[in-house]
Amino acid sequence: MRKIIHIDMDCFYAAIEMRDNPELTTVPLAVGGSEKERGVLCTSNYFARKFGVRSAMSTAYAKKLCPDLIVLKPDIEKYKVVAESIRKIFLEYTDIIEPLSLDEAYLDVSHSPKYNGIATLIAKEIRERIFNSERLTASAGIAPNKFLAKIASDWHKPDGQFVIPPDRVGQFILQLPVSKIHGVGKITAQKLESKGIFTCKELQSIAFNDLVEQFGRFGEHLHELCRGIDERPVENCRERKSLSVECTFVQDISDQEGCMQSIHALYEELLARLAKHQELIIHKQFIKIKFSNFQQTTVEASSTEPILELYENLCKKGLTRQDRPVRLLGLGVGFKPDLSKKSTQLELMSP
Ligand code: TTP
Ligand code: MG
């Protein structure tokens, strides 16, 4: 049985800005793009959240909800330095660490000698260490796998932790909404909800074959996840090379118009996922098309930000490769390798 901790910093960018300028702790604060440049918010403090201000919301709209909102430009370089210090703390407990973004990581502490491997105590100490050295609070989730650990870290947020012990997984999972399952975006959630499936308990009642028929490979995952099973290992130091979102259609799409509509929905989902990875530099965008005969093709083009029109054109090009209906569409971006990271790794390895 593995012991996984998911650590997620509270209001990360906003918390750093408040720490560095205490006057900001008593005002509604957000970090994001400016209203004039039609920017969106990266995050906000809890004061601002009381007004309904949320991540990824347009700054203009947030200002309507909260006219006194102070919006600061993100200082990604500063946040990276903090992320690096936090990572050094993690390394004292385990070297199996998988960062998901600047403020979030999975730790596999199954073999940690600290506290006899009692993950709850390890998580508590890590959070204390982060607070003592960075004056920032973190929340943690502790569970036998990544899927549950990530859900658990949200349970007692902010500045809290929640454990799902192995013997309580079965009970815990029953009431969990399907929308909380990793990979279930708005579209899949709507699809399930239209069939009256809202919780994992309800999802458990669907046969494996039916899930696979409807969702392809993802259906296999769904079958496991709704039972609280997730065997994915914590992948050490994984460098993200790409990010994509995809959708397997309930019914194959046979016209270009239908594909264009799906691209619009997927594009929104992609932007939302990308918002958390501003530290990564995009150098290409691609589209993946799987046809009804399960053959798939990808079409890519250089770009420094995802452009909707370019996805449409890539899709049109891909569609000419087979005269068949489309079973799945995916949109993604490729990132440039992080050269700065590579050089520090080399330094660490040299004698
Ligand atoms: P989150 O962990 O989602 O948000 P948070 O840490 O600000 O707040 P919470 O206490 O709820 O965890 O994201 C971490 C950081 O990533 C966040 O501070 C800013 C950045 N981010 C964006 O830039 N855009 C986004 O849409 C989201 C969700 C996050
Ligand atoms: Mg966070």
Side-chain angles (χ1 to χ4, degrees), residues 25-264:
T25 51
T26 53
V27 297
L29 172 74
V31 178
S34 79
E35 197 175 346
K36 280 188 219 106
E37 290 155 2
R38 306 211 304 145
V40 293
L41 298 185
C42 299
T43 190
S44 59
N45 65 3
Y46 284 100
F47 194 161
R49 288 184 198 190
K50 275 195 214 148
F51 293 83
V53 170
R54 294 286 176 267
S55 306
M57 184 178 267
S58 79
T59 305
Y61 183 62
K63 285 246 182 176
K64 276 196 193 120
L65 294 177
C66 177
D68 294 333
L69 186 70
I70 300 206
V71 182
L72 299 180
K73 273 217 166 71
D75 183 349
I76 302 286
E77 288 311 312
K78 174 159 85 172
Y79 312 147
K80 273 190 187 175
V81 172
V82 179
E84 196 46 43
S85 315
I86 293 170
R87 191 182 150 71
K88 290 208 177 103
I89 296 176
F90 294 161
L91 274 169
E92 291 184 34
Y93 296 83
T94 177
D95 48 13
I96 312 177
I97 301 165
E98 179 179 335
L100 293 178
S101 64
L102 284 183
D103 93 319
E104 226 181 303
Y106 291 114
L107 279 62
D108 185 333
V109 296
S110 311
H111 303 290
S112 177
K114 300 254 167 135
Y115 292 112
N116 284 330
I118 301 174
T120 318
L121 297 178
I122 295 176
K124 189 162 171 281
E125 189 174 282
I126 289 177
R127 291 175 40 242
E128 280 166 7
R129 294 274 309 274
I130 293 175
F131 186 75
N132 291 340
S133 72
E134 295 298 321
R135 298 280 133 194
L136 295 170
T137 62
S139 297
I142 303 113
N145 62 47
K146 295 208 284 193
F147 162 50
L148 293 170
K150 188 163 161 84
I151 286 168
S153 69
D154 236 17
W155 229 248
H156 285 170
K157 206 172 219 326
D159 199 15
Q161 64 183 55
F162 183 69
V163 56
I164 307 174
D167 59 350
R168 290 211 212 117
V169 169
Q171 191 59 34
F172 176 86
I173 200 80
L174 294 177
Q175 33 77 43
L176 193 76
V178 287
S179 57
K180 292 268 183 190
I181 297 180
H182 175 79
V184 173
K186 257 193 229 145
I187 299 168
T188 313
Q190 277 169 7
K191 230 188 262 178
L192 290 168
E193 287 168 10
S194 70
K195 295 178 199 304
I197 295 163
F198 293 87
T199 64
C200 284
K201 185 180 180 192
E202 286 154 351
L203 191 53
Q204 285 181 9
S205 66
I206 312 236
F208 178 80
N209 288 346
D210 292 343
L211 284 174
V212 174
E213 196 170 298
Q214 280 197 30
F215 299 102
R217 287 252 344 247
F218 186 55
E220 293 177 26
H221 293 303
L222 277 179
H223 189 261
E224 293 195 331
L225 292 174
C226 73
R227 290 170 172 75
I229 301 167
D230 174 19
E231 303 289 355
R232 289 173 303 155
V234 174
E235 289 187 83
N236 217 350
C237 280
R238 186 183 55 164
E239 189 174 352
R240 203 178 252 288
K241 295 196 181 75
S242 66
L243 191 150
S244 60
V245 293
E246 57 182 50
C247 176
T248 302
F249 305 116
V250 179
Q251 267 176 341
D252 294 350
I253 296 182
S254 47
D255 60 328
Q256 186 172 302
E257 185 52 36
C259 287
M260 294 303 129
Q261 276 175 13
S262 309
I263 285 177
H264 289 201

Side-chain angles (χ1 to χ4, degrees), residues 8-13 42-43 46 49 103 157 275-276:
D8 188 326
M9 301 298 295
D10 303 322
C11 308
F12 190 52
Y13 296 1
C42 299
T43 190
Y46 284 100
R49 288 184 198 190
D103 93 319
K157 206 172 219 326
K276 267 200 90 172

